Structure formats: structure tokens, C-alpha cells
Amino acid sequence: MNILLWHVHGSWTTAFVQGPHTYLVPVLPGRGPDGRGRAQTFSWPDSVREVTPDQLRAEQVDLVLLQRPEEFALAERWLGGRRPGRDVPAVFLEHNAPDGDVPDTLHPCADRDDLTLVHVTHFNRLFWDNGRTRTEVIEHGIVDPGHLYTGRLPRAAVVVNEPVRRGRYTGTDLLPALAEAAPLDVFGMRTEGLAAHLGLPEERCRAQDLPQRDLHAAMAERRVYVHPVRWTSLGLSLLEAMHLGMPVVALATTEAVEAVPVGAGTLSTRPEVLARAARHYLDEPEAAAEDGARARQAALERYGLKRFLDDWERVMTEVRS
């Protein structure tokens, strides 16, 4: 198939484009949100083609994968009047947990009969009000980075984008107490100035933004992965840490309670329990390695790439039939 999709979520798209199709990714001058084109920091295969709006008008498109409400109008305009869901088969992929009026949040695609709404977690489907729209859950898949864990640095890795702006959503307010138990290395976009924002010494909360090709190796050198997120969808960084062989310490919120089995780390809604667990792994490197190995096995079994691609193949075939 020729599948049209926008470059919205680089990590998710990296897994999706490992399938057997041709992936048409819009590109615009300046590479803004509506036309980022191919990823610059992720490794994508040659089957991902950049296309301009003018080129799309002449392209055969077998399926449109929408990820933002505004893409309905963009797709119709750039496809020369072909309407997603009516003239071209369409799937709407919802990456996020609902925001506002939870649990009565009405999804923008609620009560539509012309597309399938796909959620990335069962928690998200449960908490969105999807109306009568056909829904599916296709859980994340990860391109396996390998068992890279060494844990040689007695520090905790945290991966979060824009922690200052997103605040309580990403558990940024919990970092000072966690930093008392284990020095933190916070990786992600727009993390600069985080220690000063939290009133922490730089050594207790170092921040840096690494390209994907360097991030996994850096994470795997840290003793433990800490996931203080209160309210977002299931973070791919958590699943990547598990694939790396890292033990994980995470808030027991949203889908994390499904993703992290017993023996792979610690889940709790009590920050003080998470702090003690992080300290335990710093003091007991053998226990950290053992729990990390179990985390990796669990992630491979549930979030492996083949299962992910097979699930998508099934749904896309059904939508086109």
C-alpha cells in the first residue's frame, strides 16, 4: 500500500515504517508541524518518501493515517478533494490520554462511521468517550535496541520532553524528592535550566537533549530508569528502557500498571516508595541487573515489533475491505 501519514511522533513512526509498505510523509519548506518530512534523528528505511502537497495530488494513496484533527482538512486539500474516510480509507491514530473533562472527554472522532479510531493503550480507549466510532487498540511496538544495559553509573535516567512547561503532567514537581534519593540525568527536548527551575544543584539533576542514536546508550549506562509521569499516554521511553534491560521505577498511573510486571521494577502511587526503590537499585547493582533482565523479557513479549506490525496489518486490511 501507499500510506499517507504526517511525521508527528518520531519514536512511534520509527516502528510503524518498518512494515512492508510505502510511506508518504508530507514535507514543506521550513519543515514545520504540517510538513516535517523524514526524521533527522531517527533511522527510517528508504520506503519512507517525502512528498510535497503538489506531488500528493497525483499520488495513488491507499490509506490515510491521521493523527491530528486538522489533518482531515489538510489531506482533503492536498489530495485534490479526496476525503479521508469517504474517498480514501482512513484510520485515526490517537496517541494521547484525554485532557480536560475526564472521564467525559469526547473524542474529536466520536460518532463517525467513516473511519476506525485506534488507541495506543487500553487505558486511553477506556477514558476517551469514543461515541459510536469503531475503535481498536494497537499497543506500542519497539524496534529492539538490544540488551545494552551496563548500569555502571549510579544515577537514575529520566526521559521527558518539556518538563518545565508540562509540569505536573510529567511529574516534574516530584523530581526534587527523587533527586534526594538518586542523582538524576534527565534527557529530552527543552530540558535546559531544569535544575535551576527546581532549585536543585546541577549535579543532582543534570539535563541534556540527545539524538535518538545516542540516547539509548546513555540511558543504559544509568543504574535505573525512573518514570514519574502522572498523566500522559504510555511513554515509549519507559518501554525502550525495559528493552535495554533497565529496571524501572514508575508511578502506577495510566497504562504503566499493565506494562511493568512484578519483578521488573517498582510501581507505586506513593513518591516516597519510588524514591526508596531508586535508592535500592543504586545500592544493589546485581538486583538492578536481574530486575532489568526481567523487564527486557516482558517488553519483548508484549511490545515486540512483529506483534505491532501484524496488528496494524490486520486493522489496515479490514479498513480497506
Side-chain angles (χ1 to χ4, degrees), residues 69-213:
E70 58 266 32
E71 290 174 7
F72 284 96
L74 278 176
E76 182 175 349
R77 187 164 72 249
W78 292 358
L79 290 173
R82 288 173 285 174
R83 297 166 297 171
R86 299 296 183 189
D87 305 309
V88 184
V91 170
F92 190 97
L93 172 63
E94 179 54 71
H95 290 284
N96 300 315
D99 186 10
D101 200 27
V102 177
D104 296 321
T105 319
L106 189 67
H107 195 276
C109 293
D111 298 320
R112 295 188 66 137
D113 60 4
D114 58 346
L115 54 77
T116 295
L117 173 57
V118 175
H119 293 283
V120 296
T121 71
H122 293 276
F123 179 93
N124 288 1
R125 178 165 70 173
L126 177 68
F127 272 77
W128 277 107
D129 179 356
N130 306 297
R132 295 185 301 276
T133 303
R134 180 199 172 197
T135 62
E136 292 273 356
V137 175
I138 300 181
E139 295 187 312
H140 289 302
I142 302 292
V143 178
D144 182 15
H147 194 164
L148 303 183
Y149 180 72
T150 67
R152 69 177 186 85
L153 298 177
R155 301 181 66 87
V158 179
V159 178
V160 60
N161 291 325
E162 301 187 75
V164 174
R165 180 184 67 83
R166 296 168 73 192
R168 287 178 56 84
Y169 279 80
T170 54
T172 305
D173 60 301
L174 304 177
L175 295 181
L178 290 167
E180 289 183 14
L184 308 178
D185 287 322
V186 182
F187 302 100
M189 294 184 294
R190 289 180 280 283
T191 54
E192 60 276 1
L194 178 61
H197 173 75
L198 296 173
L200 292 172
E202 190 73 27
E203 176 59 22
R204 301 303 293 187
C205 185
R206 302 189 306 208
Q208 55 184 317
D209 183 6
L210 296 177
Q212 187 75 5
R213 61 181 175 272

Side-chain angles (χ1 to χ4, degrees), residues 247-317:
V248 295
V249 171
L251 275 180
T253 56
T254 63
E255 192 80 356
V257 294
E258 291 280 335
V260 182
V262 174
T266 297
L267 287 169
S268 179
T269 54
R270 292 183 289 170
E272 64 273 18
V273 172
L274 302 188
R276 286 198 299 268
R279 183 74 252 172
H280 164 71
Y281 285 128
L282 260 61
D283 294 340
E284 302 289 343
E286 289 186 8
E290 291 170 0
D291 286 5
R294 284 188 285 269
R296 172 171 167 78
Q297 188 58 41
L300 287 171
E301 290 173 1
R302 182 159 185 171
Y303 300 102
L305 186 64
K306 183 180 186 305
R307 189 274 310 155
F308 171 78
L309 294 174
D310 286 349
D311 285 354
W312 270 105
E313 200 68 25
R314 173 185 60 80
V315 168
M316 292 189 296
T317 299

Side-chain angles (χ1 to χ4, degrees), residues 10-11 13-18 38-46 48 143 212-213:
S11 294
T13 307
T14 297
F16 183 71
V17 298
Q18 305 303 315
R38 286 178 56 93
Q40 306 298 306
T41 59
F42 295 87
S43 178
W44 288 0
D46 293 340
V48 182
V143 178
Q212 187 75 5
R213 61 181 175 272

Side-chain angles (χ1 to χ4, degrees), residues 19-90:
H21 307 292
T22 297
Y23 305 91
L24 307 175
V25 179
V27 64
L28 292 170
R31 295 182 179 270
D34 293 336
R36 287 196 176 101
R38 286 178 56 93
Q40 306 298 306
T41 59
F42 295 87
S43 178
W44 288 0
D46 293 340
S47 55
V48 182
R49 288 176 42 212
E50 291 187 343
V51 287
T52 67
D54 287 342
Q55 290 170 330
L56 267 176
R57 288 184 176 88
E59 284 282 357
Q60 174 187 335
V61 174
D62 301 301
L63 184 136
V64 181
L65 178 66
L66 304 146
Q67 301 168 79
R68 301 170 298 162
E70 58 266 32
E71 290 174 7
F72 284 96
L74 278 176
E76 182 175 349
R77 187 164 72 249
W78 292 358
L79 290 173
R82 288 173 285 174
R83 297 166 297 171
R86 299 296 183 189
D87 305 309
V88 184

